[in-house]
């Protein structure tokens, strides 16, 4: 590969003339934006310990009333992007949100897609377009782009959940904005998507109703995800990676458009090597303890810990228990990469 000319090689008056006309010579910067073979990634392997986050989040509960915060969140920011950018990766935003008993985070909608992975506490709910979703540990609740959502809490202990949004991408596209509701609680409709789509291979078939809703399932109970993983692992003892994708049961596509969501089970004592793939990914420990190893990072995930891996990076996952399965929730940028034709696996 030949070296390209540097900016310093150009006479100052020429550079000034270009700048004054909003012109830039490509060749000094070409390798920067298109490096050889492997992209430059700002995303650094980063680990967030729940034991360290939780007391600071609870302190935010004492410092800032919900009315002054709207959403009381500590953002899990990747230092490689700069903390102020509030990014875990190029497309992924992560935040730990706290709701105290009796609090209410009023209805709004926004262009970024979000999901909530419930970490701790009982009695909270998210209402999405009139569908009230109870929140229990490990439940995944979708608040896709443009849908009205509010959070409330009728329990007696703090509730904490992990927010995963595609905010960095939507912001980069200059398409991120929100709309506040009318300050009233949403009217709640009957019916729950996870009951309508309760068994794999069968979907409801409306005849007299209008077209299906774009998002027929908004809550994915952890009990169902866990049972599916156990059933898959038991049915195929040779399967080397026990993973389920959260899908839209009406279409079979990923549950949301931009980020992908997965439940993973590591068998007792199991180590899995995931190949380097183009999207960045996030790992959140739901049950058990795991070790996550990659170039530039070696993390022990205790229960409710979260870490991220840049794209184009192989990741090794190990269950640290020799006797119990470990369960993880994963998020990645795969749907985005696939839609853009950028998805790659490096072997
Ligand atoms: O709960 O609606 O972490 O709008 C960031 C933006 C949570 C939410 C976040 C949001 C929300």
């Amino acid at each position: 590969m030949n070296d390209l000319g540097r900016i310093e090689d150009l006479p100052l008056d020429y550079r000034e003339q270009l700048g004054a006309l909003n012109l830039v010579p490509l060749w000094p910067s070409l390798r920067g934006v298109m490096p050889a073979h492997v992209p430059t990634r700002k995303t650094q392997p980063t680990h967030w310990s729940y034991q360290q986050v939780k007391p600071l989040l609870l302190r935010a509960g004492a410092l800032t009333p919900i009315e002054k915060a709207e959403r009381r969140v500590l953002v899990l920011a990747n230092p490689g992007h700069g903390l102020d950018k509030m990014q875990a990766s190029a497309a992924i935003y992560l935040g730990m949100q706290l709701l105290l008993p009796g609090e209410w985070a009023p209805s709004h909608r926004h262009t970024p897609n979000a999901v909530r992975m419930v970490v701790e506490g009982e009695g909270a709910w998210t209402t999405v377009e009139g569908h009230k979703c109870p929140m229990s540990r490990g439940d995944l609740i979708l608040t896709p782009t443009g849908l009205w959502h509010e959070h409330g809490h009728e329990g007696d202990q703090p509730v904490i959940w992990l927010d995963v949004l595609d905010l960095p991408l939507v912001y980069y596209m200059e398409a991120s904005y929100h709309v506040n509701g009318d300050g009233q609680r949403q009217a709640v409709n009957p019916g729950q998507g996870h009951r309508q789509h309760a068994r794999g291979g069968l979907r409801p078939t409306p005849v007299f109703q209008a077209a299906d809703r774009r998002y027929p399932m908004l809550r994915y109970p952890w009990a169902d995800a866990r049972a599916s993983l156990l059933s898959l692992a038991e049915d195929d003892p040779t399967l080397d990676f026990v993973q389920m994708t959260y899908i839209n049961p009406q279409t079979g596509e990923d549950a949301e458009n931009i980020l992908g969501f997965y439940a993973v089970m590591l068998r007792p004592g199991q180590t899995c090597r995931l190949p380097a793939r183009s999207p960045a990914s996030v790992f959140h420990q739901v049950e058990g303890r795991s070790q996550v190893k990659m170039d530039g990072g070696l993390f022990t995930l205790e229960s409710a810990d979260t870490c991220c891996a840049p794209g184009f990076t192989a990741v090794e996952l190990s269950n640290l228990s020799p006797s119990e399965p470990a369960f993880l929730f994963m998020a990645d940028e795969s749907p985005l990469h696939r839609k853009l034709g950028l998805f790659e696996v490096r072997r």
Side-chain angles (χ1 to χ4, degrees):
M1 185 178 56
N2 58 328
D3 283 339
L4 300 180
R6 298 169 307 162
I7 191 81
E8 302 80 38
D9 300 340
L10 298 170
L12 196 56
D13 73 300
Y14 179 68
R15 285 151 61 184
E16 282 172 0
Q17 277 187 54
L18 291 178
L21 296 172
N22 299 319
L23 295 170
V24 175
L26 173 62
W27 58 98
S29 305
L30 182 58
R31 296 284 183 251
V33 292
M34 250 185 264
H37 305 297
V38 181
T40 308
R41 286 137 301 156
K42 289 189 190 156
T43 304
Q44 289 173 6
T46 307
H47 170 245
W48 295 272
S49 148
Y50 186 61
Q51 283 317 308
Q52 292 178 325
V53 173
K54 185 180 168 181
L56 295 170
L57 189 53
L58 290 174
R59 197 162 164 212
L63 292 171
T64 308
I66 192 73
E67 297 75 26
K68 289 282 172 208
E70 244 173 67
R71 300 297 192 261
R72 195 190 290 107
V73 176
L74 291 181
V75 178
L76 312 185
N78 193 304
H81 287 271
L83 299 183
D84 58 314
K85 294 290 189 299
M86 300 199 296
Q87 296 180 232
S89 74
I92 305 176
Y93 158 104
L94 300 172
M96 280 281 176
Q97 182 160 173
L98 169 72
L99 206 58
L100 294 171
E103 285 185 337
W104 179 56
S107 202
H108 72 179
R109 61 186 170 93
H110 40 70
T111 47
N113 296 274
V115 300
R116 334 278 160 184
M117 166 51 50
V118 183
V119 173
E120 178 171 350
E122 293 290 331
W125 43 266
T126 295
T127 300
V128 189
E129 293 278 320
H131 292 270
K132 189 168 179 174
C133 303
M135 302 174 95
S136 286
R137 172 62 178 146
D139 290 354
L140 185 74
I141 291 161
L142 264 47
T143 57
T145 179
L147 300 197
W148 292 105
H149 57 278
E150 64 185 80
H151 314 294
H153 188 7
E154 286 150 13
D156 54 14
Q157 296 298 316
V159 161
I160 296 174
W161 65 80
L162 177 68
D163 291 316
V164 186
L165 281 77
D166 48 28
L167 173 63
L169 177 79
V170 180
Y171 180 76
Y172 174 76
M173 293 170 64
E174 302 186 343
S176 177
Y177 70 95
H178 87 281
V179 179
N180 276 334
D182 58 7
Q184 305 295 310
R185 303 219 171 193
Q186 291 183 35
V188 173
N189 305 322
Q192 294 189 30
H194 76 277
R195 290 207 196 129
Q196 298 191 7
H197 299 268
R199 294 283 183 271
L202 290 170
R203 66 173 163 78
T205 312
V207 171
F208 296 103
Q209 280 102 317
D212 298 331
R213 286 184 291 133
R214 168 73 183 83
Y215 296 97
M217 192 156 155
L218 297 165
R219 171 174 178 245
Y220 297 72
W222 176 245
D224 292 341
R226 190 182 196 280
S228 306
L229 290 167
L230 285 167
S231 167
L232 175 61
E234 199 177 277
D235 191 59
D236 186 355
T238 66
L239 185 65
D240 42 17
F241 192 51
V242 183
Q243 174 174 232
M244 288 282 181
T245 300
Y246 290 93
I247 58 159
N248 178 328
Q250 202 67 40
T251 62
E253 307 269 307
D254 287 286
E256 288 187 352
N257 283 330
I258 294 177
L259 301 182
F261 307 102
Y262 316 87
V264 167
M265 179 183 130
L266 300 174
R267 299 175 199 267
Q270 186 185 11
T271 291
C272 285
R273 277 171 207 83
L274 305 179
R277 301 168 347 134
S278 51
S281 41
V282 167
F283 304 86
H284 172 79
Q285 190 80 31
V286 181
E287 283 181 44
R289 291 170 76 225
S290 304
Q291 191 183 68
V292 184
K293 204 167 141 187
M294 68 195 85
D295 249 3
L298 174 61
F299 308 128
T300 300
L301 291 189
E302 306 287 347
S303 182
D305 284 6
T306 305
C307 72
C308 71
F312 292 89
T313 303
V315 177
E316 191 180 280
L317 297 174
S318 307
N319 180 354
L320 291 174
S321 166
S323 54
E324 301 294 328
F327 294 93
L328 295 131
F329 167 66
M330 275 176 59
D332 75 7
E333 301 164 334
S334 289
L336 173 66
H337 280 229
R338 289 207 168 89
K339 287 187 174 102
L340 297 180
L342 295 171
F343 186 84
E344 272 187 64
V345 182
R346 296 275 174 101
R347 289 179 202 284

